[in-house]
Amino acid sequence: MYLDGSATPPVSGRAPDILALLGDRSTLARQPAFRIAEADGPADLGAYRRLRRDAFVYEQGLFRGHDLDERDTDPRTLVLIARGRDGTVVGGVRLGPATDGPDIGWWQGGRLVVAPAVRGSAGVGAALVRAACARAEAEGALRFDATVQTRNEVLFRRLGWRRVRDITAAGSPHVLMRWPIGRIAAQASAAKAALGPLLDPLATASPGFIGDDGAPVPGTDVVAACDAIVPSMVERAPDWAGWCAVLVNVNDLAAMGAAPVGLLDALGAPDAAHAARVLTGLSRAAQAYGVPVLGGHTQLGVPAALSVTALGRTRHPVPGGGGRPGHAVRLTADLGGTWRPGYRGRQWDSTSHRRADELRTMAGAVAAARPAAAKDVSMAGIAGTLGMLAEASGCRAVLDVAAVPRPREAAMGDWLTCFPMLTADAPGAPPLAAGPAEGAVCGELSTGEGVGLRWPDGDITEAVTSTVTGMGPA
């Protein structure tokens, strides 16, 4: 990537004329010298490619005849251009998936070019780099690389990029650099980092089940689980909130290998109509999963809130911290669904359309297989929850990104925030018989801590650098 960066807000094509008519010379004087946008049509692409040819073929001699390659014809490739006040294209950069086939969240930037007349003082190159970083993250990328000419390494470091290693490209010395993307770490930290210090005074978890999805009741075969739904979701989507309150609790019991026997709900609502919508969704889900609502508490005239407690039974609870170095990590997920309206990129709905027998088969899969460890993916997302499983097991985890089962329409960055089931067991252990859900071995546990993402070229990027909850091994 031949890059040099802060993207400025777009200016309406008629804005300078209007300001001139109004006599607003001070505002005109403050107009940015350029703006950045996605290339729009053959004229923009042609101007960008001419700049590239002039710079990389004629000026620098890196290529003969032209510098075009297969990335230029890949329909997934995006081109961002910088346009001067007069509309002239004065720079550009391309970015897109680094591998053929499905986009796995590994993106690469390249062919950054700036017209000679605006190099240095205008900041076009740096603005294009920043814009490319923002666009890659917006597209769900979890890894964003650039092959940079050695003389430009200082610029990239100043913009926050990290050096990976020396390489040779187009017959000349380059440096592979990587933009740090902290989406997974930030999500895990926001959802779980406070738990260790916060819950330490309670110290009530059964030995071997610290941080688990459910709590075995001492001296019995009962497992209890409790989950609350985010209040904003109860407010804006009451029916769906009711369904999810059952779903997440049944999944917590399922991760423990427990069969659900009953639910208790605690509901707050501004009025009876809102409460009825929540309870309708809750009742539908309870019937679908075949678990009765034993009782609960309802309060009206208060802000929307919902939590559900679930009771289940098993003589062999599966711990979240039962993994060991060398165990294989398996992800099991129902890919047959779609993004929930209003929650695109955050909630994958694969349950509301399923038959009751399919839902119950999936809920019983961990109990049937009895793996060494299991975790229902939580608000920390797939990688963050894997970090929780690894932390409770006293291990580190590595996730093979390309092996993660996911829906075709879900970007990897979005999918890793969703809620399938994770298990760990000895290599060669049988998969979960989870009906319509699909599973695959997509990583392993090892010594150390945190979670790494392993890519097809063998590189590992750190998704979670330390423990997730601070609660320690179970």
Side-chain angles (χ1 to χ4, degrees), residues 363-383:
V366 171
R370 290 176 59 184
K375 288 288 287 183
D376 174 43
V377 174
S378 70
M379 294 296 289
I382 292 172

Side-chain angles (χ1 to χ4, degrees), residues 82-444:
R83 195 186 301 277
R85 291 181 184 175
D86 63 355
T88 303
V89 175
V90 296
V93 64
R94 73 181 187 189
L95 64 156
T99 58
D100 296 332
D103 176 9
I104 62 171
W106 174 13
W107 277 48
Q108 189 170 45
R111 299 296 200 270
L112 172 81
V113 64
V114 177
V118 296
R119 287 180 193 166
S121 60
V124 174
L128 284 164
V129 174
R130 292 191 178 104
C133 294
R135 184 60 182 269
E137 292 198 51
E139 295 291 335
L142 295 172
R143 172 180 170 182
F144 188 41
D145 294 343
T147 302
V148 179
Q149 293 186 54
T150 304
R151 65 172 180 267
N152 291 329
E153 180 181 349
V154 173
L155 169 66
F156 275 76
R157 284 182 176 272
R158 190 168 71 241
L159 294 174
W161 289 64
R162 297 172 182 170
R163 176 189 178 92
V164 180
R165 56 182 171 268
D166 291 324
I167 62 172
T168 299
S172 66
H174 285 67
V175 179
L176 178 64
M177 304 208 64
R178 185 164 295 149
W179 174 247
I181 297 178
R183 176 178 180 175
I184 290 174
Q187 180 185 12
S189 177
K192 303 294 180 180
L195 294 186
L198 190 64
L199 301 179
D200 185 63
L202 297 178
T204 57
S206 302
F209 294 94
I210 295 174
D212 255 302
D213 295 290
V217 178
T220 75
D221 65 352
V222 175
V223 174
C226 182
D227 257 311
I229 301 301
V230 175
S232 60
M233 181 174 162
V234 185
E235 179 66 38
R236 68 183 289 200
D239 307 75
W240 178 236
W243 178 279
C244 288
V246 175
L247 167 66
V248 295
N249 276 281
V250 169
N251 282 350
D252 282 346
L253 293 177
M256 300 289 294
V261 297
L263 305 171
L264 300 167
D265 72 281
L267 170 63
D271 52 46
H274 193 95
R277 291 184 62 188
V278 175
L279 293 173
T280 295
L282 190 149
S283 177
R284 285 196 307 108
Q287 292 176 22
Y289 280 99
V291 53
V293 178
L294 303 175
H297 175 77
T298 302
Q299 185 173 358
L300 303 180
V302 297
L306 176 64
S307 65
V308 168
T309 297
L311 302 175
R313 308 187 83 161
T314 178
R315 295 188 178 278
H316 305 284
V318 177
R324 298 293 179 264
H327 277 182
V329 170
R330 180 181 294 272
L331 179 72
T332 302
D334 184 359
L335 308 185
T338 187
W339 292 118
R340 186 73 185 179
Y343 296 92
R344 183 170 183 82
R346 292 178 291 158
Q347 293 186 16
W348 182 259
D349 177 14
S350 59
T351 58
S352 63
H353 69 287
R354 287 294 184 192
R355 301 191 313 268
D357 62 308
E358 294 175 321
L359 294 174
R360 296 171 193 181
T361 296
M362 288 188 284
V366 171
R370 290 176 59 184
K375 288 288 287 183
D376 174 43
V377 174
S378 70
M379 294 296 289
I382 292 172
T385 303
L386 178 56
M388 295 169 67
L389 185 154
E391 178 183 354
S393 301
C395 295
R396 166 178 169 79
V398 174
L399 191 65
D400 280 310
V401 180
V404 172
R406 68 182 171 105
R408 181 177 296 275
E409 58 267 50
M412 185 61 73
D414 293 337
W415 182 241
L416 291 189
T417 68
C418 293
F419 313 113
M421 182 74 70
L422 284 164
T423 55
D425 211 342
L432 273 62
E438 300 179 26
V441 171
C442 53
E444 71 272 349

